[in-house]
Amino acid sequence: DAGVIQSPRHEVTEMGQEVTLRCKPISGHDYLFWYRQTMMRGLELLIYFNNNVPIDDSGMPEDRFSAKMPNASFSTLKIQPSEPRDSAVYFCASSLRPTSGAGEQFFGPGTRLTVL
Amino acid sequence: EDQVTQSPEALRLQEGESSSLNCSYTVSGLRGLFWYRQDPGKGPEFLFTLYSAGEEKEKERLKATLTKKESFLHITAPKPEDSATYLCAVQARKAAGNKLTFGGGTRVLVKP
């Protein structure tokens, strides 16, 4: 399996522009997670989906952020309008529903977003 | 609220100098404790899952142990390629989905 795939790997944009980050989870995984990582705050969970349905979006910082999962193999995280404080590395992760034990999450390579 | 604290924040080792990383946690019923390795510019890479106090797991020069309040990641005779940030995370038994709470990480630098 190719693992979790994210695109683009790097994104540089200007304040006020719309940004769309993309993720393809590992085939067969039930859960998809979007995280943001910064030096100051570490890894923060933004939202997660179960079987394409958003379950918990309490980590989404504000209404400028939205996420969708139209099918089991694709998800997007959109920021509109973007602001300099949104600059961070955004990770997508996926996992199986555990039949026993805990469900390990597998991460993609991340998208480094810079908002000027 | 589940909390994870890792120490030290950074660790500089000479090649071959064994050491341990600490992960202290509070969680309302532990389902699992996870260790990840993160290299610069990459996503976290899964290493281990520990489920109950007394459990140990090993992978090459790494050994993870678990007590009721903390976990240790022991690095035996490290090599420069062990340089990375090591992240600890917990999953509560009643956590919806497979949600994880992460610590801040320990940056390890192994000098030749």
Side-chain angles (χ1 to χ4, degrees):
Chain A
D1 199 311
V4 176
I5 299 172
Q6 291 187 246
S7 65
R9 293 295 314 278
H10 302 274
E11 178 81 34
V12 180
T13 190
E14 293 189 348
M15 184 173 63
Q17 296 298 305
E18 177 179 295
V19 175
T20 299
L21 311 181
R22 297 172 175 79
C23 174
K24 176 179 168 56
I26 294 172
S27 177
H29 279 195
D30 306 281
Y31 292 93
L32 184 139
F33 304 82
W34 281 101
Y35 289 88
R36 178 171 66 177
Q37 187 176 44
T38 61
M39 288 294 292
M40 291 295 294
R41 301 173 68 91
L43 260 175
E44 302 175 276
L45 177 66
L46 300 177
I47 185 172
Y48 81 92
F49 295 82
N50 179 209
N51 292 325
N52 314 337
V53 177
I55 303 299
D56 184 352
D57 65 355
S58 58
M60 297 284 260
E62 41 196 283
D63 292 345
R64 298 183 297 105
F65 286 70
S66 63
K68 294 183 179 179
M69 192 166 185
N71 57 62
S73 59
F74 183 67
S75 177
T76 59
L77 178 67
K78 186 176 294 186
I79 308 172
Q80 165 65 11
S82 58
E83 296 183 3
R85 60 193 167 123
D86 301 330
S87 297
V89 181
Y90 291 80
F91 289 104
C92 177
S94 69
S95 70
L96 282 167
R97 181 172 67 88
T99 53
S100 63
E104 294 86 0
Q105 294 182 20
F106 297 89
F107 285 76
T111 296
R112 180 172 294 277
L113 173 65
T114 302
V115 183
L116 304 174
Chain B
E1 184 181 334
D2 303 334
Q3 287 191 327
V4 179
T5 303
Q6 292 187 246
S7 61
E9 288 187 7
L11 190 60
R12 295 167 67 100
L13 301 172
Q14 286 296 131
E15 183 172 2
E17 178 188 0
S18 300
S19 188
S20 295
L21 285 54
N22 178 266
C23 171
S24 297
Y25 65 91
T26 55
V27 63
S28 52
L30 180 71
R31 181 189 292 168
L33 184 141
F34 303 80
W35 281 99
Y36 286 82
R37 169 192 171 124
Q38 186 174 22
D39 292 300
K42 296 188 176 181
E45 175 189 350
F46 170 73
L47 292 174
F48 306 110
T49 308
L50 301 168
Y51 296 100
S52 57
E55 188 175 2
E56 299 183 351
K57 289 196 175 172
E58 289 188 64
K59 181 179 181 179
E60 296 181 356
R61 294 174 293 282
L62 301 177
K63 184 169 81 170
T65 62
L66 181 65
T67 73
K68 289 186 177 180
K69 294 183 178 181
E70 55 193 352
S71 176
F72 293 93
L73 185 65
H74 308 277
I75 310 178
T76 302
K79 298 182 177 182
E81 52 262 44
D82 295 320
S83 298
T85 296
Y86 292 88
L87 296 166
C88 172
V90 297
Q91 188 175 92
R93 196 171 294 131
K94 59 183 180 181
N98 293 344
K99 286 179 66 173
L100 299 178
T101 301
F102 279 89
T106 295
R107 295 188 311 280
V108 174
L109 175 64
V110 182
K111 301 179 71 175

